[in-house]
């Protein structure tokens, strides 16, 4: 399966971070008002004049934004909700600090904010545009790491391509830090370098960090291949306490995967393992499976877009049986097929802690999909995200999917796009969502041959969910009247309805080719109204 094609067709999702410039300016205005207006705090500590309030409001927002942005950088696959919460929390905390200081007196001193612990320990040169870095610039950029008594425990050299001179500048610095470092992000740090130079640079960094006791190591976006993996051999071999390992978009082939398995001495503490967007294939999946088997504490496993077929999928599924603590599982965009889907279902039945499951574009078909959702129905009581887009799922699998969904009252996001559920399957799934599901935020049923009845039913159900944010039913065959009905349902909150630009009311499905069509929609809907979604097998 071509990963580029699939990445282009992946569904739209809302990102809560970063805030727009207008949002940030509005927050500065509110902070300024809080510093000048009459309140319990200003009565107690005193209010600031307009100039002081303006200056401090900008500082508060800027510090809070940077702190929250660091949080978001640590969780780039999230929707930004955690960063937004931290943003608000930091603004409140810093606002109170400024109020407690009170207005500046005759001896006005510059107001400063205590740095958050994470900012004191995290050294990051990744901001700004991607760029090459040579010796002179490296001397300037890395100077804070040479300061005696610094407390840096995490470094991020991502987004800057180190030349050989810059690597030699970094080498003694990394050696001096190795006993205090806990996290090293060396993702995308040799981009555009000739292979021979890149390998030499990787050897320098590997030797410099050898013997460090890292909890997190990120080598993503470096086109490592087997040679690159082995260039980091001395670092890998010295790591016995790794909790997080990221090898995404690294050209991890069959041979490179075997090298990873061979070089890492212990994964007993590993909680996060990401292999996204590599050319691993079945043989490489066997090696990754060995790593997974040796990782009993694994909580977050990503092996998406890795060209793994049926045999590799079965091997990974078997390995996952031993990882009963998994909370997040992402196997998207592989070629598992039915057999691997059934094998995966047996592993999922053991995973009671699952919160997020991403199984889109796996060629599961009805048989594999039914096996998976039947397993999830009996496990994963706190499931929040279920994605099974692009699996050739038809309405025949809808009763099983609906029963699973009905049991998952913590569900926040459901993605069944690019299947063939049609009106019949869509109405059954809508029925499953009727009762409860108060946390539901997003539903994607785009490109499913849905017509007017299915679209109307789904819209009527999700619109009334208290925290709902987005319904995507684009790419279907909804009539113009059906589109008008859906828009009428969402007229008070149009932003909750995704684009319908790619809907094709003239499109046909198998029923229409057989002489059935929208004329039968009302009959279908009436039959489905009394549908009971059973939680029993």
């Amino acid at each position: 399966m071509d990963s580029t094609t699939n990445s282009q067709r992946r569904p739209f999702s809302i990102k809560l971070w970063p805030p727009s410039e207008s949002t940030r300016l509005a927050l500065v205005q509110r902070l300024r008002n809080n510093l000048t207006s009459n309140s319990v705090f200003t009565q107690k500590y005193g209010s600031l004049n307009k100039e002081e309030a303006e200056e401090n409001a900008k500082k508060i927002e800027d510090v809070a934004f940077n702190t929250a942005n660091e949080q978001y950088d640590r969780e780039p696959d999230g929707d930004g909700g955690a960063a937004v919460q931290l943003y608000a929390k930091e603004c409140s905390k810093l606002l109170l600090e400024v109020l407690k200081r009170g207005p500046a007196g005759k001896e006005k001193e510059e107001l400063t904010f205590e740095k958050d612990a994470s900012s004191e320990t995290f050294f990051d040169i990744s901001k700004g545009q991607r760029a090459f870095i040579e010796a002179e610039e490296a001397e300037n950029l890395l100077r804070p790491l040479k300061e005696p008594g610094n407390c840096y425990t995490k470094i991020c050299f991502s987004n800057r391509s180190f030349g050989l001179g810059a690597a030699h500048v970094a080498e003694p610095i990394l050696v001096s830090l190795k006993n205090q470092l806990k996290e090293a992000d060396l993702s995308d740090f040799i981009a555009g370098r000739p292979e021979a130079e890149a390998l030499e640079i990787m050897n320098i960094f590997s030797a410099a960090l050898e013997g460090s006791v890292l909890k997190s190591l990120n080598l993503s976006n470096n086109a490592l291949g087997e040679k690159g993996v082995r260039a980091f051999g001395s670092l890998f071999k010295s790591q016995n306490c790794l909790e997080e390992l990221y090898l995404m978009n690294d050209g991890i082939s069959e041979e490179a995967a075997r090298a990873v398995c061979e070089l890492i001495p212990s994964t007993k503490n590993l909680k996060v393992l990401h292999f996204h967007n590599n050319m691993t294939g079945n043989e490489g999946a066997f090696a990754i499976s060995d790593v997974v088997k040796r990782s009993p504490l694994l909580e977050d496993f990503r092996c998406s877009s890795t060209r793994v077929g049926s045999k590799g999928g079965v091997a990974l599924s078997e390995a996952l049986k031993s990882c009963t603590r998994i909370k997040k599982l992402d196997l998207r965009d592989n070629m598992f097929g039915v057999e691997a889907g059934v094998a995966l279902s047996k592993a999922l039945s053991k995973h009671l802690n699952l919160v997020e499951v991403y199984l889109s574009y796996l060629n599961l078909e009805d048989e594999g999909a039914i096996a998976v959702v039947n397993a999830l129905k009996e496990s994963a009581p706190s499931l929040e995200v279920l994605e099974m887009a692009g699996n050739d799922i038809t309405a025949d699998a809808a009763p099983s999917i609906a029963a699973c969904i009905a049991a998952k009252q913590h569900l926040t996001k459901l993605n069944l796009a690019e299947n063939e559920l049609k009106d019949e399957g869509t109405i059954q799934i809508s029925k499953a969502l009727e009762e409860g599901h108060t946390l539901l935020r997003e539903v994607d049923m785009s490109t499913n041959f849905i017509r007017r009845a299915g679209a109307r039913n789904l819209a009527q159900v999700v619109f009334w969910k208290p925290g709902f944010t987005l319904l995507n039913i684009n790419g279907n065959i909804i009539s113009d009247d059906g589109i008008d009905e859906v828009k009428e349902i969402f007229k008070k909150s149009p932003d909750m309805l995704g684009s319908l630009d790619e809907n094709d009311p003239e499109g046909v499905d198998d029923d229409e080719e057989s002489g059935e069509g929208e004329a039968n929609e009302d009959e279908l809907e009436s039959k489905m109204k009394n549908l009971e979604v059973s939680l029993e097998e």
Side-chain angles (χ1 to χ4, degrees):
M1 184 179 294
D2 183 76
S3 60
T4 301
T5 300
N6 284 329
S7 65
Q8 290 172 344
R9 67 184 183 185
R10 287 199 180 108
F12 171 79
S13 60
I14 289 179
K15 286 287 187 182
L16 302 177
W17 189 266
S20 66
E21 193 63 31
S22 61
T23 299
R24 294 184 66 183
L25 289 172
L27 180 57
V28 170
Q29 175 68 42
R30 288 198 296 272
L31 291 168
R32 183 170 62 240
N33 291 341
N34 285 331
L35 291 169
T36 57
S37 62
N38 186 36
S39 69
V40 174
F41 293 108
T42 55
Q43 288 176 7
K44 182 175 182 180
Y45 301 113
S47 59
L48 277 62
N49 62 41
K50 290 182 179 180
E51 291 75 17
E52 287 180 295
E54 178 74 26
E55 178 185 355
N56 281 280
K58 289 178 179 178
K59 285 184 179 181
I60 290 170
E61 191 281 330
D62 188 58
V63 172
F65 176 83
N66 290 331
T67 301
N69 207 44
E70 289 177 8
Q71 165 72 27
Y72 180 68
D73 287 344
R74 290 192 285 271
E75 299 177 356
D77 292 334
D79 63 1
V84 170
Q85 291 180 7
L86 183 58
Y87 185 44
K89 181 179 178 181
E90 286 296 300
C91 281
S92 298
K93 181 184 78 172
L94 296 172
L95 178 69
L96 186 58
E97 287 181 9
V98 171
L99 286 171
K100 285 182 177 179
R101 291 192 188 103
K106 292 180 180 179
E107 297 179 359
K108 182 178 177 181
E109 58 184 53
E110 183 179 355
L111 291 172
T112 58
F113 299 102
E114 292 184 11
K115 288 186 176 181
D116 183 83
S118 63
S119 65
E120 292 177 353
T121 59
F122 181 29
F123 181 80
D124 185 4
I125 62 171
S126 69
K127 306 303 180 185
Q129 294 182 337
R130 296 178 74 204
F132 287 91
I133 177 174
E134 303 302 339
E136 184 177 354
E137 187 180 0
E139 287 278 4
N140 291 327
L141 276 177
L142 305 183
R143 185 172 288 114
L145 294 176
K146 298 169 67 175
E147 293 178 2
N150 75 76
C151 298
Y152 292 114
T153 59
K154 178 181 178 181
I155 57 170
C156 179
F157 288 177
S158 181
N159 208 38
R160 307 302 290 267
S161 179
F162 279 72
L164 202 51
H168 283 303
V169 169
E171 182 179 13
I173 295 174
L174 294 178
V175 169
S176 70
L177 291 174
K178 72 165 61 178
N179 291 329
Q180 68 189 59
L181 279 183
K182 299 299 180 185
E183 301 181 39
D185 184 344
L186 303 180
S187 60
D188 193 24
F189 85 118
I190 52 165
R193 302 292 178 180
E195 180 179 301
E197 182 183 8
L199 289 172
E200 187 173 353
I201 292 166
M202 286 187 276
N203 273 300
I204 290 171
F205 275 76
S206 176
L209 290 172
E210 180 182 359
S212 56
V213 185
L214 297 177
K215 290 186 176 181
S216 177
L217 177 61
N218 189 345
L219 298 176
S220 300
N221 303 311
N222 283 314
L224 297 177
E226 182 186 9
K227 291 180 182 179
V229 170
R230 294 196 180 279
F232 276 106
S234 59
L235 174 58
F236 278 135
K237 288 178 181 178
S238 68
Q239 299 306 304
N240 290 291
C241 299
L242 270 182
E243 295 181 8
E244 300 179 7
L245 177 60
Y246 303 89
L247 294 169
M248 299 184 287
N249 195 29
D250 273 335
I252 301 294
S253 60
E254 166 191 335
E255 295 79 12
R258 281 203 286 259
V260 170
C261 184
E262 168 195 333
L263 293 171
I264 298 179
S266 173
T267 56
K268 63 183 180 181
N269 295 315
L270 204 61
K271 294 180 180 179
V272 180
L273 179 60
H274 283 197
F275 275 98
H276 170 67
N277 198 28
N278 286 299
M279 48 186 183
T280 311
N282 278 331
E283 296 298 323
F286 296 151
I288 294 173
S289 298
D290 287 339
V291 177
V292 172
K293 285 178 184 175
R294 294 188 274 117
S295 308
L297 302 184
L298 201 61
E299 296 180 358
D300 181 352
F301 179 54
R302 184 177 188 183
C303 192
S304 51
S305 301
T306 48
R307 306 183 187 181
V308 175
S310 180
K311 292 182 179 179
V314 170
L316 286 173
S317 299
E318 289 292 328
L320 286 168
K321 288 181 179 178
S322 61
C323 304
T324 56
R325 298 192 181 193
I326 283 194
K327 297 178 181 178
K328 182 176 180 180
L329 178 64
D330 187 347
L331 300 172
R332 284 175 286 189
D333 194 14
N334 285 298
M335 299 172 283
F336 276 29
V338 173
E339 183 181 359
V342 173
L344 178 61
S345 71
K346 296 175 182 177
L348 293 177
S349 65
K350 299 178 180 294
H351 293 164
L352 299 178
N353 298 312
L354 273 173
V355 176
E356 300 179 33
V357 180
Y358 302 90
L359 304 177
S360 296
Y361 310 111
L362 292 179
N363 299 330
L364 295 178
E365 301 180 14
D366 284 346
E367 183 180 349
I370 289 171
V372 165
V373 295
N374 283 344
L376 287 174
K377 184 181 73 172
E378 302 302 328
S379 61
S382 300
L383 190 66
E384 296 178 7
V385 177
L386 176 60
E387 290 200 8
M388 296 181 68
N391 275 302
D392 296 322
I393 303 172
T394 74
D396 291 339
S400 296
I401 296 173
C404 175
I405 291 171
K408 304 305 168 189
Q409 289 296 316
H410 295 276
L411 207 61
T412 62
K413 182 177 181 180
L414 175 65
N415 181 1
L416 295 169
E418 296 190 51
N419 286 300
E420 299 175 24
L421 289 163
K422 302 183 181 179
D423 277 13
E424 181 183 351
T426 302
I427 292 173
Q428 291 183 70
I429 288 164
S430 301
K431 188 74 175 179
L433 290 170
E434 281 183 351
E435 296 297 325
H437 291 94
T438 56
L439 303 176
L440 191 65
R441 291 189 340 213
E442 294 183 39
V443 172
D444 191 337
M445 293 283 288
S446 57
T447 318
N448 262 289
F449 296 103
I450 299 172
R451 296 191 297 246
R452 178 180 179 181
R456 182 173 60 237
N457 267 265
L458 185 58
Q460 288 171 336
V461 168
V462 300
F463 177 77
W464 296 107
K465 301 301 178 184
F468 197 76
T469 58
L470 181 65
L471 172 64
N472 184 1
I473 49 174
N474 208 4
N476 285 299
I477 53 174
I478 309 166
S479 67
D480 291 339
D481 288 342
I483 294 291
D484 290 341
E485 287 180 340
V486 171
K487 287 183 176 179
E488 178 66 20
I489 293 169
F490 282 89
K491 67 179 181 181
K492 292 184 178 179
S493 301
D495 291 343
M496 288 165 52
L497 181 63
S499 171
L500 292 165
D501 291 347
E502 296 178 12
N503 180 69
D504 181 12
E506 304 300 324
V508 296
D509 62 24
D510 293 339
D511 289 342
E512 289 178 328
E513 290 173 357
S514 302
E516 301 174 10
E518 194 163 318
N520 293 327
E521 286 189 21
D522 292 335
E523 180 183 352
L524 169 64
E525 188 173 0
S526 65
K527 288 181 179 179
M528 302 300 293
K529 274 184 178 177
N530 296 320
L531 175 73
E532 294 286 340
V533 177
S534 174
L535 298 181
E536 302 297 328
E537 292 204 13

